[in-house]
Amino acid sequence: MKPEILLIGGATPRMMERLNSKFVVHPLSEITDFDTWVSSHGEKIEAVATNGHDGVKPHIMDALPNVKAISCYGVGYDAIDTKVAVERGIVVTHTPGVLNADVANLAILLMLATSRCLVRDDQWVRSGNWAKNGNAPLTRSIENKKVGILGLGRIGGEIARKLEVFGCDICYHTRTKKEVSYTYCEDLVEMATAVDYLIAITPGGPSTNKLINRTVIDALGPEGTLINVARGSVVDEKEMVQALQEGRLGWAGLDVFADEPNAPEELFNMENVVLTPHTASATIETRQAMGDLTVDNLISFFESGTVKTPVPECAGIAKTD
Ligand code: NAP
Ligand code: 8YV
């Protein structure tokens, strides 16, 4: 008998094929009346496959009493209540490591796109402005600039290493000092004051909520650039928009937003802003690796009771191979 699982959000064809071969998959998107479905199927569901955006909402968690594993397609799992999961003995897994390179690449792409005015200059050519009005205004270099990284974990570390090629002077802020050669800044405001670029790459959730507030934004200032590839919740979005409008913040490169898939409309006409729709890990190669790991964790859990990549909160209840 195949175990029955609930699939929240989308899955690639490759993931679906592998999931269907091992499980009876119930896609949430195909359930029209959740309460009726729960009364006939709720107790049969033994695992959930989800993603970092959708997570598992409390009413879904409550409706599935026999869930033993939740596999998240993404490294960030702030949309899953791990406290409740651990209390119920549910093992939560995620996809760390396999997306480091592409997320770091997008952070640097946003730095380059904002500093070199990529979107404006692309438009300069397409609109005929070049032929009509001559050369575009000069832009700014990222070479040898000061960069502050908020969150120097797997991805933050990769961003730092890649930025060394540009001669950037790198410092970072985390709760605990790391064994690295980059300068540790205990105080985020002091770091923001000192740098040209501030890159956010922490987890979301309560401990990082609006860490980048008005004081930090003002410390970064009119010559500063904010890059956010972490979670929209890490930045006080209203304050950021206002600071960009008033010229108190120079530029922003943003992959994540507080209310996805909605982004503040005030940003849409700003030339000093580059926006991407939460696509830092969205390459074919990286999404394949994430999908494989998401499914591997589930298969391994049901075949051997072990998982490959449990979230740290579940270290005490998860067996690893
Ligand atoms: P990680 O290895 O766990 O690194 C997290 C870093 O953030 C650590 O250095 C940690 O250091 C620091 N941190 C955590 N809480 C903090 C706090 N309250 N204040 C300051 N620093 C804090 O995680 P990762 O694999 O690099 O991923 C980081 C996050 O990136 C994910 O959780 C996700 O939210 C985001 N992400 C976004 C995308 C995207 O598509 N845009 C893709 C992948 C990941 P300390 O514990 O010492 O504070
Ligand atoms: C995904 C992410 O796009 O891994 C993360 O934390 O934010 C992204 O890689 C997200 O999990 C939605 O699937």
Side-chain angles (χ1 to χ4, degrees):
M1 281 263 285
K2 288 179 181 175
E4 300 199 24
I5 70 167
L6 177 67
L7 171 65
I8 301 176
T12 62
R14 179 182 167 107
M15 287 171 77
M16 279 316 292
E17 197 181 320
R18 292 189 69 214
L19 287 173
N20 282 325
S21 74
K22 298 283 181 182
F23 306 103
V24 176
V25 182
H26 299 267
L28 183 62
S29 58
E30 290 173 14
I31 298 169
T32 45
D33 180 343
F34 185 71
D35 291 340
T36 307
W37 175 84
V38 161
S39 57
S40 56
H41 285 86
E43 293 191 354
K44 294 184 197 153
I45 300 298
E46 294 187 67
V48 176
T50 186
N51 59 70
H53 177 74
D54 294 305
V56 186
K57 305 264 183 308
H59 76 280
I60 296 182
M61 199 84 158
D62 291 348
L64 308 174
N66 296 319
V67 164
K68 303 179 192 75
I70 297 172
S71 184
C72 178
Y73 175 66
V75 67
Y77 53 92
D78 46 297
I80 299 170
D81 191 334
T82 51
K83 191 165 175 281
V84 169
V86 170
E87 278 165 12
R88 285 181 48 183
I90 300 170
V91 173
V92 180
T93 62
H94 64 152
T95 63
V98 295
L99 38 56
N100 295 354
D102 273 323
V103 178
N105 291 347
L106 189 91
I108 295 169
L109 175 63
L110 287 173
M111 273 180 79
L112 284 164
T114 47
S115 67
R116 299 304 302 267
C117 300
L118 181 71
V119 177
R120 182 204 70 190
D121 279 2
D122 175 275
Q123 194 54 27
W124 200 268
V125 180
R126 290 173 199 255
S127 66
N129 221 6
W130 191 14
K132 223 180 328 163
N133 295 322
N135 291 336
L138 297 183
T139 61
R140 300 162 303 130
S141 176
I142 68 161
E143 291 281 322
N144 306 316
K145 289 293 175 346
K146 287 194 171 157
V147 179
I149 303 180
L150 169 58
L152 198 80
R154 288 170 293 249
I155 302 170
E158 183 93 5
I159 294 171
R161 279 187 292 281
K162 290 187 179 215
L163 284 176
E164 287 179 21
V165 173
F166 297 93
C168 292
D169 181 1
I170 294 156
C171 55
Y172 69 98
H173 172 77
T174 49
R175 293 167 299 183
T176 53
K177 192 174 183 296
K178 313 292 172 198
E179 293 297 314
V180 291
S181 57
Y182 313 119
T183 309
Y184 179 57
C185 299
E186 211 174 328
D187 188 298
L188 178 57
V189 178
E190 276 174 26
M191 182 168 89
T193 308
V195 299
D196 302 297
Y197 294 84
L198 176 62
I199 304 178
I201 185 64
T202 59
S207 90
T208 56
N209 191 45
K210 296 187 182 164
L211 264 187
I212 301 184
N213 56 20
R214 185 180 176 118
T215 312
V216 175
I217 291 167
D218 282 341
L220 189 55
E223 295 303 316
T225 302
L226 174 64
I227 304 294
N228 189 8
V229 284
R231 285 287 183 264
S233 59
V234 177
V235 175
D236 187 327
E237 203 167 69
K238 271 198 184 139
E239 288 291 347
M240 177 193 68
V241 168
Q242 209 182 326
L244 285 162
Q245 283 171 326
E246 293 171 4
R248 286 185 288 112
L249 174 63
W251 297 267
L254 307 169
D255 185 50
V256 286
F257 304 89
D259 179 31
E260 296 177 4
N262 305 302
E265 285 189 17
E266 297 93 318
L267 298 173
F268 294 174
N269 292 322
M270 288 188 193
E271 218 179 55
N272 52 346
V273 166
V274 177
L275 309 171
T276 49
H278 201 145
T279 47
S281 69
T283 64
I284 291 164
E285 296 85 347
T286 289
R287 285 290 168 88
Q288 181 169 312
M290 290 165 63
D292 284 352
L293 189 48
T294 305
V295 179
D296 287 347
N297 272 315
L298 279 180
I299 293 176
S300 176
F301 181 81
F302 283 97
E303 286 186 348
S304 66
T306 65
V307 291
K308 294 176 184 304
T309 46
V311 302
E313 291 85 343
C314 290
I317 58 167
K319 289 191 196 120
T320 49
D321 43 23

